[in-house]
């Protein structure tokens, strides 16, 4: 017998959970035809929901002993939800799935086969289309992945979902990365292991609405850059040096011109422009350094990644 844990991060998903649960029951039935010796555990993470998510989870937990849940004391974000799920999962294999059925459960048997019979440590999914998503969002998402491919040594796959099945060994590897500023897409790449990729077309959520505003996604992408690349620091030093060289050349030019032609140095507007330019550059570079410092500061506090209020 082996146990498969399905981790489901939920934030205000009272409408989606019933659909999810019904779909899971069907999936388990189909699944057990191929793999009769696999038992299921559904582990819902209530990420400090403000609607009746917790109440719904309590009900399912009462009537189905395969349903467990962890309820946070407040909203800690999906990253914390995933961590808590992996942390509390008892399974030999763990799969992470969204509550909104955007991660098609029909792929599960294939993914399971990859980690049990084909010798992979993990099977993950990526969307090949972004249908139904705002155009600007897709554009920035694409840019982000292109940028990361250039500036980070860690492999971060374009369109990768959090929908992924992993062996116990890989789960433990991820849990050993106890950083507070979590960017799971990078963490998967960092821990390594063999991953089989499944591709599928984007599916729209079954009920409720997306929890990610453009701003939230933007901040999340900064998390990714700062967490998995130090290139911005190098770039800012590079700019600094470039400006210094340029200034040096200009000084020499002005001195020589003065000696030869005796021109008074004219034009304070150009001077103001240069001061503005250099000042702006300095501030933005300090900002970049500050960003890393802030993350370091938060890490050194060793705050817990999540606080559970109720575990059943
Ligand atoms: N989620 C979460 N905490 C949050 C935001 C989202 O646990 O702070 C969960 C959410 O309930 C869902 C999953 O993460 O199961 C993905 O969120 P969503 O569907 O809103 O994102 P999208 O699919 O639009 O990227
Ligand atoms: Mg979704």
């Amino acid at each position: 017998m082996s146990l498969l844990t399905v981790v489901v991060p939920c934030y205000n998903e009272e409408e989606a959970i019933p659909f999810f649960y019904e779909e899971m029951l069907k999936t388990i039935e189909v699944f057990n035809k191929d793999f009769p010796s696999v038992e299921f555990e559904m582990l819902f993470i209530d990420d400090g929901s403000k609607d009746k998510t917790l109440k719904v989870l309590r009900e399912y937990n009462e009537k189905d002993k395969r349903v467990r849940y962890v309820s946070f004391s407040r909203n800690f974000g999906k990253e914390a939800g995933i961590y808590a799920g992996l942390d509390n999962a008892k399974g030999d294999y763990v799969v992470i799935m969204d509550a909104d059925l955007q991660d098609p459960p029909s792929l599960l048997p294939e993914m399971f086969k990859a980690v049990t019979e084909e010798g992979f440590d993990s099977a993950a999914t990526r969307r090949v289309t972004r249908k139904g998503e705002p155009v600007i969002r897709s554009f920035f998402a694409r840019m982000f992945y292109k940028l990361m491919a250039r500036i980070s040594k860690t492999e971060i796959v374009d369109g990768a979902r959090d929908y992924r099945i992993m062996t116990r060994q890989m789960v433990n590897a991820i849990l050993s990365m106890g950083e507070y500023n979590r960017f799971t897409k990078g963490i998967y790449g960092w821990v390594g292991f063999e991953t089989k990729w499944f591709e599928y077309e984007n599916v729209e959520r079954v009920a409720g609405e997306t929890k990610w505003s453009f701003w939230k996604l933007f901040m999340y992408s900064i998390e990714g850059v700062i967490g998995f690349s130090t290139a911005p620091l190098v770039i800012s030093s590079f700019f600094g040096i470039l400006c210094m060289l340029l200034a040096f050349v200009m000084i020499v030019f002005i001195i020589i011109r003065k000696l030869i032609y005796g021109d008074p140095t004219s034009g304070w507007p150009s001077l103001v422009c240069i001061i503005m330019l250099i000042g702006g550059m300095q501030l933005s570079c300090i900002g970049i350094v500050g960003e890393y410092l802030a993350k370091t500061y938060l890490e050194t506090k060793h705050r817990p990644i999540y606080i559970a209020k109720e575990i059943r």
Side-chain angles (χ1 to χ4, degrees):
M1 275 316 226
S2 58
L3 182 68
L4 173 59
T5 305
V6 185
V7 169
V8 195
C10 305
Y11 178 52
N12 297 345
E13 299 283 8
E14 60 173 4
E15 291 165 43
I17 290 170
F19 288 103
F20 180 85
Y21 181 76
E22 289 307 320
E23 195 60 37
M24 258 340 270
L25 291 188
K26 283 185 218 150
T27 309
I28 293 174
E29 210 173 290
V30 176
F31 193 93
N32 279 143
K33 282 195 191 117
D34 288 345
F35 307 97
S37 64
V38 177
E39 270 186 67
F40 271 81
E41 166 187 70
M42 286 180 241
L43 177 56
F44 291 90
I45 312 297
D46 167 35
D47 187 6
S49 300
K50 293 188 178 64
D51 64 358
K52 299 200 183 70
T53 300
L54 182 57
K55 195 169 150 264
V56 175
L57 292 180
R58 281 195 191 118
E59 280 164 18
Y60 281 113
N61 171 254
E62 291 272 301
K63 71 176 193 216
D64 186 344
K65 65 176 179 4
R66 290 172 300 185
V67 175
R68 291 169 57 213
Y69 64 84
V70 175
S71 179
F72 288 177
S73 58
R74 65 167 169 87
N75 180 246
F76 279 85
K78 188 181 180 187
E79 292 293 327
I82 291 174
Y83 184 86
L86 299 180
D87 201 18
N88 289 281
K90 293 187 182 140
D92 308 299
Y93 300 94
V94 180
V95 58
I96 300 164
M97 242 191 233
D98 282 2
D100 56 11
L101 289 175
Q102 277 188 308
D103 300 331
S106 53
L107 279 176
L108 200 54
E110 284 289 311
M111 289 167 75
F112 187 71
K113 209 190 262 166
V115 290
T116 48
E117 289 165 19
E118 293 166 24
F120 287 94
D121 303 291
S122 150
T125 56
R126 56 186 289 259
R127 294 186 293 183
V128 282
T129 57
R130 288 179 173 271
K131 186 177 62 178
E133 205 185 51
V135 184
I136 302 181
R137 182 175 294 195
S138 302
F139 172 75
F140 276 98
R142 290 242 157 77
M143 294 286 287
F144 170 72
Y145 286 110
K146 285 223 177 80
L147 179 76
M148 283 310 277
R150 281 178 172 269
I151 65 173
S152 174
K153 287 198 194 79
T154 307
E155 193 195 2
I156 294 166
V157 178
D158 186 0
R161 301 275 308 167
D162 288 319
Y163 184 24
R164 179 187 280 262
I165 189 167
M166 288 169 276
T167 58
R168 175 46 54 186
Q169 192 187 20
M170 183 160 170
V171 170
N172 289 343
I174 289 172
L175 287 174
S176 73
M177 295 182 72
E179 59 214 69
Y180 179 74
N181 297 288
R182 299 187 78 77
F183 184 70
T184 312
K185 286 183 167 73
I187 292 178
Y188 291 138
W190 199 92
V191 295
F193 293 105
E194 292 283 337
T195 302
K196 181 170 183 180
W197 288 94
F198 287 84
E199 295 182 347
Y200 69 93
E201 306 232 327
N202 195 24
V203 186
E204 294 196 30
R205 65 165 34 245
V206 59
E209 56 197 49
T210 179
K211 310 298 177 302
W212 295 88
S213 62
F214 184 81
W215 184 244
K216 236 173 139 183
L217 272 177
F218 181 73
M219 293 314 285
Y220 185 58
S221 69
I222 302 246
E223 193 86 58
V225 174
I226 304 289
F228 285 90
S229 168
T230 47
L233 290 173
V234 180
I235 294 169
S236 64
S237 331
F238 175 78
F239 267 127
I241 292 170
L242 200 72
C243 281
M244 241 169 58
L245 288 177
L246 208 67
F248 185 71
V249 172
M250 276 159 33
I251 290 168
V252 171
F253 174 76
I254 288 171
I255 291 175
I256 291 177
R257 194 175 61 173
K258 168 79 185 162
L259 290 179
I260 297 176
Y261 300 106
D263 270 0
T265 323
S266 65
W268 71 271
S270 54
L271 210 66
V272 172
C273 292
I274 291 169
I275 291 174
M276 292 283 274
L277 177 78
I278 305 291
M281 220 176 251
Q282 278 175 338
L283 277 184
S284 71
C285 291
I286 292 177
I288 292 173
V289 177
E291 211 41 57
Y292 283 90
L293 185 67
K295 297 289 180 210
T296 315
Y297 173 62
L298 283 176
E299 290 296 341
T300 55
K301 287 189 173 207
H302 294 296
R303 284 179 180 162
I305 296 165
Y306 67 93
I307 293 172
K309 193 174 157 197
E310 197 176 311
I311 302 182
R312 293 274 186 287

